[in-house]
Amino acid sequence: MTTLENRPAAVDFDSPDHQAKLAALYRDFDAVGMTPLWRTREGLMPHHPEPRAVPHLWRWDDLYPLAARSGELVPVGRGGERRAIGLGNPGLPGDPYATPTLWAAIQYLNPRENAPEHRHSQSAFRFVLEGEGVWTVVDGDPVAMRRGDLLLTPGWHFHGHQNVSDTPMAWLDGLDIPLVAGIDQGFFEFGPDEVRNKRTPDQSNSERLWGGPGLTPVAAVGARPSSPLMAYRWVHTDAALTGQLELADEGVPGTLVEPGHAAIRYSNPTTGGDALTTMRTEMHRLVAGTSTRRSRTSASSVWQVFNGGGTVTMDGQVRTLTHGDVVAVPAWTEFSLQAESTLDLFTFSDAPVFEKLDLLRTQITEGTDA
Ligand code: GTQ
Ligand code: FE2
């Protein structure tokens, strides 16, 4: 017990004797791996997220020709597995990560080329900017990949890709590779070298079973962690966005995110929640001449321009957006979009992870950048 009698005499913090003892203490802390919070609190517990990742934009005009060059020089096969080229955020040097949790890559398949089957604990999707002719075979179910479609490969599903056409095809891959690596949850297994089902049906089995609007097969009971529907087709996405804007024009309230801004979320039909467990996927449509409000969220995200053009403003920096451009938005970046022509954007984020952990925070900041 501390009493007046046994309390140490007032310390002279400035004395050379005290400074020398303190330096020795910190050396000895270090030697056994002890770190005093009072010297690192600001770095460990900032007042708001201070991501190392920076807002960044990649031009499709740079990405596609480089992916095509790799198509001429690099074969696809067992080991490397995929001709996929990760987009590295300049704020995360040494890691090919778009954000601390999200992998975004351009994958390229030559005519008649095959990528072998494998499975991994990482969740994946493909978003198709342009082209067709590839089927991704998910647990033996061939899924056509066409312009505007979102195709899922939830974790631990076998998958391989085959291009049955005479033209190359490139698309955007999104995976939770950095998240899974950062929390030591990576598992990986090889499957057959050749995709196990070479059929090329217009509709996958998953669409035949789950693809009816609001129609759940009665035989399939219960919630599943990720969507059993492997393909979300552009005709449906486009119609939903068009419908939202038409209804708003007709004066029906509550159809849009904000004026001139329609959006859909790709959902898991067994829960109504996100299609994948670790990544949120959405398509947004901004009417020509409109802007979004500025906002920030503790989720990080990646966006790809599907149609149209405009600008994106991130922490006050304005960049032009054209077909295929990819944007990385780190946590807590102030973000807004401005549409010059009708602007369709695909986006994915890590929001579901933080939502489940009750960590997600979102803030609308005032005004627009129009
Ligand atoms: O297509 O299976 O971009 O396993 C990264 C890892 C794509 C894929 C990527 C993968 C894949
Ligand atoms: Fe994979």
Side-chain angles (χ1 to χ4, degrees):
M1 206 167 93
T2 302
T3 66
L4 214 55
E5 288 70 43
N6 65 18
R7 191 186 294 165
V11 176
D12 178 0
F13 290 101
D14 295 326
S15 72
D17 176 54
H18 178 81
Q19 290 300 322
K21 282 179 174 158
L22 202 54
L25 175 67
Y26 290 150
R27 259 198 322 276
D28 294 346
F29 272 167
D30 199 49
V32 294
M34 294 169 79
T35 298
L37 180 65
W38 62 85
R39 304 188 89 195
T40 55
R41 201 280 304 160
E42 278 182 51
L44 292 174
M45 302 173 73
H47 289 274
H48 55 75
E50 292 175 353
R52 287 186 303 127
V54 295
H56 193 71
L57 184 146
W58 294 267
R59 296 268 170 229
W60 187 245
D61 284 352
D62 292 323
L63 301 178
Y64 184 84
L66 288 166
R69 268 168 68 190
S70 74
E72 286 167 20
L73 298 173
V74 184
V76 177
R78 194 89 283 170
E81 300 295 288
R82 301 291 184 258
R83 191 185 292 105
I85 308 126
L87 307 185
N89 188 297
L92 306 172
D95 285 325
Y97 300 160
T99 79
T101 53
L102 302 173
W103 163 271
I106 310 304
Q107 184 165 167
Y108 189 94
L109 266 189
N110 278 313
R112 307 286 159 192
E113 208 171 31
N114 219 322
E117 286 204 17
H118 65 213
R119 65 176 171 179
H120 38 70
S121 48
Q122 292 85 354
S123 296
F125 67 79
R126 340 263 156 219
F127 175 71
V128 182
L129 178 69
E130 55 199 16
E132 57 184 24
V134 171
W135 269 255
T136 180
V137 182
V138 181
D139 275 340
D141 185 16
V143 185
M145 297 176 63
R146 303 188 198 94
R147 179 181 170 277
D149 295 344
L150 177 74
L151 305 316
L152 302 186
T153 314
W156 215 239
H157 289 50
F158 276 110
H159 54 286
H161 319 306
Q162 67 163 341
N163 187 350
V164 302
S165 80
D166 293 321
T167 49
M169 187 174 170
W171 61 85
L172 180 74
D173 284 325
L175 288 91
D176 52 9
I177 290 173
L179 173 72
V180 171
I183 56 177
D184 294 332
Q185 299 304 313
F187 295 90
F188 183 99
E189 236 175 57
F190 294 123
D193 288 352
E194 287 287 314
V195 297
R196 64 186 86 190
N197 189 337
K198 298 224 158 182
R199 289 177 51 246
T200 55
D202 191 49
Q203 277 209 324
S204 59
N205 286 349
S206 80
E207 292 164 271
R208 293 165 70 194
L209 194 54
W210 289 96
L215 306 176
T216 296
V218 172
V221 286
R224 305 191 196 177
S226 56
S227 176
L229 178 63
M230 297 303 147
Y232 296 75
R233 300 295 175 196
W234 174 243
V235 285
H236 300 135
T237 305
D238 185 36
L241 295 170
T242 301
Q244 287 183 18
L245 289 166
E246 283 172 356
L247 287 167
D249 277 348
E250 291 162 21
V252 177
T255 74
L256 300 180
V257 178
E258 55 188 325
H261 181 182
I264 59 96
R265 181 168 300 160
Y266 300 94
S267 61
N268 172 351
T270 73
T271 61
D274 288 285
L276 296 167
T277 53
T278 53
M279 290 182 287
R280 175 157 294 166
T281 48
E282 294 175 345
M283 180 70 77
H284 290 247
R285 176 168 294 168
L286 268 180
V287 171
T290 61
S291 300
T292 65
R293 284 179 298 178
R294 289 196 298 265
S295 67
R296 49 167 61 110
T297 171
S298 59
S300 65
S301 61
V302 173
W303 297 68
Q304 186 175 36
V305 179
F306 179 61
N307 265 329
T311 52
V312 58
T313 307
M314 293 184 283
D315 287 339
Q317 293 256 60
V318 185
R319 305 291 309 270
T320 65
L321 291 174
T322 55
H323 178 74
D325 292 350
V326 178
V327 178
V329 188
W332 221 237
T333 303
E334 194 183 46
F335 175 84
S336 67
L337 295 163
Q338 301 80 39
E340 269 154 34
S341 53
T342 295
L343 184 59
D344 288 346
L345 297 122
F346 171 78
T347 183
F348 65 107
S349 79
D350 53 12
V353 177
F354 304 135
E355 240 170 38
K356 284 173 196 117
L357 301 176
D358 196 23
L359 285 169
L360 189 68
R361 288 204 197 191
T362 293
Q363 221 175 53
I364 306 286
T365 49
E366 281 297 306
T368 67
D369 292 308

